[in-house]
Amino acid sequence: MNTDQPIIQIHDLYYRYEKENVLEDINLSIPSGAFLAVVGPNGSGKSTLLKLILGLLKVQTGEIKVFGEDINRFKERHLIGFVSQKANSFNTGFPATVYEVVASGLTKKVGLFKFLTSGDKQKVFEAIESVGLTKFINRNIGDLSGGQQQRVFIARALVSDPRLLILDEPTVGVDAQHVQSFYEMLEQLNKDLGITLLLVTHDIGTISNKVTHVACLNKHLYFHGNSHEFEHFQEHGVSEFYGYDVNLLTHEHHHHHEGVKR
Amino acid sequence: MIEAIFEYEFLQNSFLTGAIIGIIAPLLGVFIVVRRLSLIADALSHVTLAGIAASLFIEKKFLLFSGLNPLYMGMIFSVFGSVLIEKLRSVYKDYQELAIPIILSGGIGLGVIFISLAEGFNTDLFGYLFGSVSAVSRMDLYVILAISIIVITLIVLLYKELFLLSFDEEHATASGIAVKRIHFIFIVMVALVIAASMRVVGILLVSSLMTLPVAASIRFAKGFKQTILFSVLFGETSVLGGLILSYYLDLAPGGTIVMIAVLILIATIVIKKIYSARPA
């Protein structure tokens, strides 16, 4: 596969629910190996954009190409790993071990009516190892902390060897002390395994020194560039984009959540 | 008792049937419970009742059908009901649970009409409501055996997909699994197993055989496969224990089976309480 080719290319994308546009005129290209943060307030169309990229919603106007192929024709879904926001609100009473949950990430790749081979099982062990949960492999997922559960979902996404990993606000519900180490792990996946990351978040403060690219979305794409350009943009355009003073978007370690209107 | 089982064919039939149901009802029940669809089993059992009542009515009114096995009509109604539930769930996207009372009351309504058309309560019907040791024929046994082979084969072959669908439907959809088709196969299996179980356990108690063993198992099992294993173990214990007790004490087998399942459930809750109160 051509590594120079952007992982995702979006051209003139519009999307509407009922009569209202939630996305307008989106043009976005994600280069291979990038760590892109998509930032935007609630209701800015972030989740819609993700659902379109994941094929959960059909493209209405415009074009999305993943790995160079039109999204409607794209079949190799296992190349895209997904960790959803809902991962935090799954049924914690569900009786499944860490191993079982991670192995379920291979369901499509292994295929209908087929069973996991010993090679597949090895992959499951490796994925669990890579998120540092080997110790908990036979625990029920409901018995783990929020941060550990989130790692389980990352492992489930990693097990099918994705080249792109999409994370929708993965740190919601993860206690503050574990957020930093969580992002460090993401950085490792990006640098060591070369996995392209697309992270949707409110919380640009914690990660702006880790990501390589930033996109600011609020129906339109307000900014799209690498993180150095973003620092410049931040000084001039971000407050306007959010419509309020955004302490959240600085590099300070203390977040002033109480000052943020939602 | 043990000699009696070997001696009387009807006892053999109900014991073998019971043993099969003790496996497949909790097996499907695990998926039903974790997907929070427990009430669907109830709705389908009432539709099955309508099918049986219809069959008894036809048998009574048209001599031509005098040998008609109510099991078949029960199955047809149950499968039809399951398809209807799925249709209703897609009509009421925001109120998916509405499908259950609609189908449940529709099933009872239809059943009562057929019962009244057949001019009153048939003694057979009592057996279908609460289960019976004597009602199971050799033919029933073969039909139920065939259903159980199909169900177990499908569960083994579709285990990965069913697990993912149960745990995280969105992820299943995003990874490109034919979620709707798999779910449809699943719900039809549930319909068949409910119809198959009614002879022994009775319509009113079928759903409990699918949910109670799972409720007990889920208290302490580690992982999904273990949950299945213990559910089947508890289900089997309830059915066989219930059949033996009901034969000896001359009780309705359905009720006895369910009460054993309830006792197992209470025992697991109490044991778990004691165990987790004790310092490790």
Side-chain angles (χ1 to χ4, degrees):
Chain A
M1 195 173 289
N2 182 2
T3 48
D4 297 334
Q5 182 187 59
I7 298 270
I8 288 183
Q9 291 160 284
I10 300 176
H11 295 298
D12 303 331
L13 181 74
Y14 287 72
Y15 193 85
R16 52 169 61 214
Y17 287 116
E18 309 281 318
K19 282 180 178 164
E20 201 184 343
N21 277 337
V22 284
L23 293 173
E24 283 180 2
D25 194 24
I26 307 291
N27 285 282
L28 176 71
S29 166
I30 306 175
S32 182
F35 185 166
L36 168 74
V38 175
V39 208
N42 285 334
S44 58
K46 289 174 302 187
S47 297
T48 305
L49 183 63
L50 285 195
K51 283 182 178 162
L52 285 163
I53 293 173
L54 287 164
L56 291 171
L57 292 173
K58 283 255 172 288
V59 174
Q60 296 168 337
T61 322
E63 183 187 46
I64 299 180
K65 282 185 170 179
V66 281
F67 299 98
E69 184 144 15
D70 188 277
I71 185 93
N72 294 314
R73 285 196 299 275
F74 181 67
K75 285 282 179 292
E76 294 177 278
R77 299 266 190 103
H78 65 88
L79 291 175
I80 303 178
F82 175 46
V83 178
S84 82
Q85 200 175 1
K86 274 199 202 136
N88 298 301
S89 58
F90 73 103
N91 169 10
T92 47
F94 197 99
T97 61
V98 170
Y99 178 88
E100 288 175 320
V101 173
V102 174
S104 78
L106 283 171
T107 304
K108 180 66 183 175
K109 201 179 182 187
V110 170
L112 210 56
F113 304 137
K114 295 205 181 97
F115 302 99
L116 271 67
T117 63
S118 56
D120 294 328
K121 288 174 185 165
Q122 191 56 39
K123 280 243 177 299
V124 177
F125 291 125
E126 284 166 13
I128 293 170
E129 175 87 54
S130 72
V131 295
L133 287 179
T134 303
K135 227 171 37 177
F136 302 100
I137 192 160
N138 287 321
R139 289 272 193 94
N140 273 355
I141 179 155
D143 298 339
L144 304 182
S145 74
Q148 290 167 332
Q149 285 169 356
Q150 203 52 271
R151 283 167 185 255
V152 175
F153 291 112
I154 304 252
R156 179 180 69 174
L158 289 177
V159 74
S160 64
D161 287 328
R163 304 240 349 261
L164 170 67
L165 185 58
I166 298 177
L167 304 110
D168 189 3
E169 306 205 22
T171 53
V172 174
V174 174
D175 40 321
Q177 52 179 10
H178 292 120
V179 168
Q180 195 64 30
S181 68
F182 182 79
Y183 283 133
E184 276 160 19
M185 183 192 71
L186 289 185
E187 197 180 17
Q188 267 177 17
L189 295 176
N190 178 243
K191 284 187 175 153
D192 300 350
L193 301 177
I195 297 171
T196 308
L197 296 178
L198 194 172
L199 172 72
V200 166
T201 180
H202 278 101
D203 188 18
I204 188 70
T206 330
I207 58 153
S208 60
N209 56 343
K210 293 198 167 52
V211 298
T212 60
H213 294 71
V214 180
C216 296
L217 184 73
N218 196 355
K219 199 191 298 187
H220 293 272
L221 205 55
Y222 279 80
F223 172 83
H224 175 219
N226 66 34
S227 40
H228 295 293
E229 292 163 352
F230 180 65
E231 278 175 36
H232 180 78
F233 171 74
Q234 245 183 327
E235 280 158 27
H236 299 87
V238 176
S239 312
E240 201 182 309
F241 156 69
Y242 264 85
Y244 48 76
D245 189 35
V246 199
N247 286 325
L248 195 66
L249 293 179
T250 66
H251 287 273
E252 287 170 42
H253 284 290
H254 300 286
H255 305 302
H256 305 286
H257 283 286
E258 62 278 6
V260 177
K261 284 175 237 148
R262 293 194 182 248
Chain B
M1 175 73 189
I2 305 298
E3 298 95 85
I5 295 173
F6 288 113
E7 205 168 326
Y8 299 112
E9 191 186 288
F10 76 92
L11 277 182
Q12 283 175 14
N13 292 345
S14 33
F15 263 82
L16 290 173
T17 307
I20 295 170
I21 290 163
I23 295 171
I24 54 175
L27 175 64
L28 279 178
V30 173
F31 294 95
I32 293 176
V33 169
V34 297
R35 294 185 66 192
R36 301 187 167 141
L37 295 175
S38 302
L39 288 173
I40 279 190
D42 269 310
L44 288 179
S45 63
H46 288 80
V47 175
T48 312
L49 172 68
I52 286 162
S55 183
L56 292 175
F57 163 69
I58 292 169
E59 198 181 349
K60 195 166 177 185
K61 292 289 168 185
F62 307 97
L63 285 174
L64 189 65
F65 294 99
S66 59
L68 188 67
N69 188 339
L71 185 63
Y72 302 140
M73 199 70 114
M75 274 179 192
I76 292 168
F77 270 61
S78 185
V79 169
F80 186 69
S82 68
V83 175
L84 224 55
I85 286 181
E86 286 318 298
K87 281 270 171 280
L88 282 171
R89 273 156 63 93
S90 60
V91 171
Y92 291 101
K93 279 207 170 68
D94 299 322
Y95 301 95
Q96 294 204 346
E97 75 282 1
L98 255 185
I100 291 163
I102 293 171
I103 294 295
L104 193 145
S105 46
I108 296 198
L110 203 58
V112 170
I113 286 177
F114 279 122
I115 291 168
S116 65
L117 280 176
E119 278 142 25
F121 240 85
N122 195 306
T123 44
D124 278 0
L125 199 59
F126 194 79
Y128 284 111
L129 287 176
F130 304 109
S132 157
V133 207
S134 55
V136 187
S137 71
R138 200 33 58 121
M139 196 59 212
D140 290 344
L141 173 61
Y142 291 146
V143 171
I144 290 162
L145 186 66
I147 287 174
S148 70
I149 290 170
I150 295 169
V151 166
I152 290 172
T153 310
L154 279 174
I155 296 237
V156 170
L157 288 177
L158 296 174
Y159 177 81
K160 294 193 307 302
E161 286 76 12
L162 285 168
F163 175 84
L164 184 56
L165 183 59
S166 308
F167 182 70
D168 189 345
E169 192 165 336
E170 187 186 46
H171 192 271
T173 313
S175 59
I177 283 163
V179 166
K180 281 200 176 138
R181 247 172 276 172
I182 304 271
H183 177 71
F184 182 74
I185 293 172
F186 173 73
I187 203 82
V188 170
M189 286 197 289
V190 173
L192 286 175
V193 169
I194 285 173
S197 310
M198 75 198 172
R199 282 271 183 177
V200 175
V201 201
I203 282 152
L204 297 177
L205 301 168
V206 166
S207 67
S208 53
L209 191 56
M210 296 184 129
T211 49
L212 291 182
V214 184
S217 166
I218 223 166
R219 296 292 304 169
F220 64 89
K222 284 270 166 274
F224 201 69
K225 284 194 173 149
Q226 216 182 77
T227 305
I228 292 178
L229 187 76
F230 281 110
S231 301
V232 169
L233 196 71
F234 293 155
E236 197 64 58
T237 311
S238 311
V239 172
L240 294 183
L243 284 177
I244 290 170
L245 264 185
S246 67
Y247 180 79
Y248 267 125
L249 306 175
D250 200 18
L251 304 167
T256 321
I257 291 168
V258 169
M259 285 323 290
I260 292 182
V262 169
L263 287 178
I264 292 175
L265 176 62
I266 292 172
T268 54
I269 292 173
V270 170
I271 291 169
K272 176 90 189 271
K273 270 254 155 62
I274 295 168
Y275 189 74
S276 51
R278 218 171 49 187

